[in-house]
Amino acid sequence: MNRQLLLDVLPAPAPTLQNYIAGANGQALAAVRALAPGRALYLWGAAGCGRSHLLKGLASTPDAIYVDVQQDARTLRSLADADSAAAMPPVVAVDDVHNMDETRQAGLFALYNRWRECAATNRAFALAVAGDRAPISMPLREDLRTRLGWDLVFRLDPLSDADKLAALSAQATERGLQLAPEVIQWMLTHRERDIRKLAALLDALDRYSLATGRHITVALLRAMLADPNHKHHDAPTTRAL
């Protein structure tokens, strides 16, 4: 098997509610798990706090929909303007509202109105939205900004180092990796501490280990980062050793 084929195996685990490491965000996770048709939820926090993970995990249920700003700007409006007699998805998860342009903001505004109209009917659906700051500080049109706080609102806190260690260890276990604690500790010490980038780095290390036929060690990790033929664009710049 050539190097490229080796690098294409074992994709990173998809975000689920089961593999989300809550840390101090246990109440938010419980609210996401319990989100029922007719309820809305807004999650906010800095990059790397797990907003997208929770929304994608919630939207992994059958017929649920996940929408972000990479998708067609008309997606939200088409959901809001669907035939009033048509069944809505049980869950609509809308990510990164802080990056929405005017068209997407208008679509989300209409979707909130549709959610409220349906909330007490047999067409009720759950609406989960996420952004990088509290509703009052969100750079959105005023009528949409107020709707973000219509129901449940939770701030997500970044993971502690202990939580990140647990998260990376869990990812390694899920992938069947035998990973020495010093490898994860090196990652936490010498890399940026965004859990998404750390998880992507672990994924790349797994692939590099397969490609080179070497066990995962700190030496292999450092060799991967120094390899000019290895491209890992998600990994941040190494800190000075």
Side-chain angles (χ1 to χ4, degrees), residues 127-196:
L127 180 60
V129 181
D132 69 350
R133 65 201 81 178
I136 194 171
S137 303
M138 189 61 65
L140 303 172
R141 47 188 276 184
E142 178 65 20
D143 51 6
L144 173 57
R145 184 154 54 86
T146 58
R147 279 159 173 74
L148 298 179
W150 266 2
D151 202 355
L152 301 171
V153 177
F154 287 91
R155 174 184 175 179
L156 298 179
D157 293 318
L159 292 177
S160 67
D161 282 355
D163 294 329
K164 291 173 185 176
L165 181 62
L168 293 171
S169 297
Q171 181 183 340
T173 299
E174 187 170 349
R175 295 177 69 90
L177 299 180
Q178 294 184 343
L179 198 63
E182 58 264 24
V183 174
I184 297 179
Q185 193 59 55
W186 192 96
M187 292 167 62
L188 289 172
T189 302
H190 299 292
R191 308 298 290 182
E192 286 186 17
R193 298 192 172 190
D194 184 324
I195 188 61
R196 297 172 304 173

Side-chain angles (χ1 to χ4, degrees), residues 22-33 41 154 156:
N25 301 316
Q27 284 189 320
L29 175 59
V32 171
R33 289 184 183 278
L41 174 73
F154 287 91
L156 298 179

Side-chain angles (χ1 to χ4, degrees), residues 24-222:
N25 301 316
Q27 284 189 320
L29 175 59
V32 171
R33 289 184 183 278
L35 192 64
R39 300 303 302 268
L41 174 73
Y42 178 67
L43 302 172
W44 67 276
C49 67
R51 302 185 313 253
S52 296
H53 188 128
L54 284 173
L55 289 193
K56 289 177 180 178
L58 179 64
S60 65
T61 56
D63 301 320
I65 291 180
Y66 172 85
V67 182
D68 63 14
V69 294
Q70 304 302 317
Q71 298 179 34
D72 191 308
R74 297 166 293 183
T75 300
L76 292 172
R77 194 60 190 244
S78 64
L79 283 170
D81 293 344
D83 185 342
S84 60
M88 290 290 290
V91 175
V92 180
V94 184
D95 208 355
D96 293 335
V97 296
H98 51 281
N99 290 327
M100 284 187 168
D101 58 20
E102 292 183 2
T103 300
R104 290 178 174 83
Q105 289 184 43
L108 182 56
F109 173 78
L111 185 61
Y112 261 106
N113 291 340
R114 176 80 181 258
W115 166 80
R116 192 167 198 175
E117 291 168 3
C118 296
T121 74
N122 59 5
R123 294 175 286 108
F125 61 97
L127 180 60
V129 181
D132 69 350
R133 65 201 81 178
I136 194 171
S137 303
M138 189 61 65
L140 303 172
R141 47 188 276 184
E142 178 65 20
D143 51 6
L144 173 57
R145 184 154 54 86
T146 58
R147 279 159 173 74
L148 298 179
W150 266 2
D151 202 355
L152 301 171
V153 177
F154 287 91
R155 174 184 175 179
L156 298 179
D157 293 318
L159 292 177
S160 67
D161 282 355
D163 294 329
K164 291 173 185 176
L165 181 62
L168 293 171
S169 297
Q171 181 183 340
T173 299
E174 187 170 349
R175 295 177 69 90
L177 299 180
Q178 294 184 343
L179 198 63
E182 58 264 24
V183 174
I184 297 179
Q185 193 59 55
W186 192 96
M187 292 167 62
L188 289 172
T189 302
H190 299 292
R191 308 298 290 182
E192 286 186 17
R193 298 192 172 190
D194 184 324
I195 188 61
R196 297 172 304 173
K197 294 180 179 179
L198 288 169
L201 179 61
L202 179 60
D203 176 54
L205 181 59
D206 181 17
R207 295 165 185 260
Y208 192 75
S209 171
L210 285 169
T212 58
R214 295 169 59 186
H215 293 298
I216 295 177
T217 62
V218 171
L220 181 67
L221 174 56
R222 296 179 67 168

